[in-house]
Amino acid sequence: MARDIASDTTRDPAAPDLLELYRWSVQDPETHATVLRLMYERLHPGRTPTLLREDFAGTSAEAVAWLALGVGRRSIAVDVDGPTVAWAQARARRILGARAEALQFLEADVMTVAPPAVAAADILSVLNFSILYLRDEAALQAYLRHARQCVAAPGVLVLNLFGGPGALTPRVDHHVVTPRPRLPAELAIPPFEYLWEQRSFDPRTRHLDCRIHFRLPEPASGGNPRELRDAFRYDWRLWTPAELMAQLREAGFDEVQVWRHTYDASRGAAGVFLGAVPPSALDSLDLWTAYIVASRSSGP
C-alpha cells in the first residue's frame, strides 16, 4: 500500500495525513483481528494463536489491533517503506503505550524476513488486497513458498481478494466516512469523503488500475472542500480464487479454502456468517470480497 502513495503530503505537517485517511477509509482492523483468530481456531481446534505477522503492513493496523484485543499476544509488521513504518510505529505507541514493545516493526522486503531470524507466525496476514501486487506467477509462487516457511505448524496464511463482473468495469464508488474510534487513544478526525475508482482493466493481462481520492470538508475559515486526487494508486493483477488456491497448494499448504464474512442486518445475530464456502458461491455475485485461507498443519 505505502509504495503507491501518489505524493509526499504525509511528510508535510500542515498537509492532510494520507495514511490516517486511508486507515479510516478501507481498514477495519478490530474486525480483522477477531476474524483472523476465529479462522485459526476453527482450523486448528484446541489451540490458541499468539503471534500474528502482517506482511505488506503499511499502517500496521491489524498488528496493532491484534495486541489491543488480546493479552499475552505478540505481532510482527513488515513493510519496505521507511516513512510509513515510522508513521505506524508512532501510531502503535500512541494506542498501545507500553504494550507496543510486543510489536516488532521491520523495514524490509517481506522476502528477506524469515525464520530463524524472526519467529514463525501462528497467523500470517496479507490483507488490503496486497497479494495483487504480485503480478506474475513466478513472483506469486516465490512469495507463497516463502510465506509457508514463515507460518508455524500449525498455522494459517490469510489473503483477501475481490472480483466479479463489477470489478472489471470502470466505476467510481463514493463513501462518506465518519471515523468512530474503537480503541483508546485512536485519533478522532472529522468526517470526509472517500472515492474508490476502478479506472481500467486489461482482460489480456488482468492488470487493474485503481485509485483512491479524498474530499476533505470545507475549512472552518471558509473556502471550498479540498480534493486530493490520486492519493493512492494501484497497479494490480486481479487473480481469480481458483488461480490463488492452485498456487497455494503448489506452495505446499495442506488445506486451502474460500471464506466469506457477511452480515444481514434484517436477521440480527442470525445474519452473521463467517466460514468456508465453495468458490462457486461467488459466481452469481456482481462484486464480491473474500478471504483465501491456507492452513499449514505440519511438515518441514
Side-chain angles (χ1 to χ4, degrees), residues 7-21 214 216 226-228:
S7 70
D8 281 347
T9 57
T10 53
R11 283 62 162 176
D12 178 358
D17 188 333
L18 294 184
L19 291 172
E20 193 69 35
L21 295 173
F214 298 115
L216 304 185
R226 181 174 180 183
E227 289 204 13
L228 303 174

Side-chain angles (χ1 to χ4, degrees), residues 165-173 196-200 286-287:
L168 314 181
T169 306
R171 60 191 289 162
V172 177
D173 296 329
W196 170 257
E197 179 183 5
Q198 292 168 191
R199 183 163 293 189
S200 65
D286 178 62
L287 186 65

Side-chain angles (χ1 to χ4, degrees), residues 27-29 31-37 39 51-58 60-66 75-79 110 121-131 143-144 147 150-151 155-160 253 291-294:
Q27 294 185 290
D28 185 1
T31 297
H32 274 157
T34 300
V35 165
L36 292 167
R37 174 184 62 79
M39 288 171 171
L51 177 58
L52 169 76
R53 170 170 162 174
E54 186 179 359
D55 273 4
F56 309 99
S60 305
E62 273 82 35
V64 170
W66 180 254
S75 56
I76 301 169
V78 187
D79 197 275
V110 295
D122 299 313
I123 302 169
L124 176 51
S125 165
V126 184
L127 300 180
N128 304 311
F129 310 121
S130 295
I131 202 67
Y143 174 72
L144 296 179
C150 297
V151 173
V156 296
L157 167 66
V158 182
L159 320 171
N160 65 348
F253 284 92
Y291 302 99
I292 309 295
V293 184

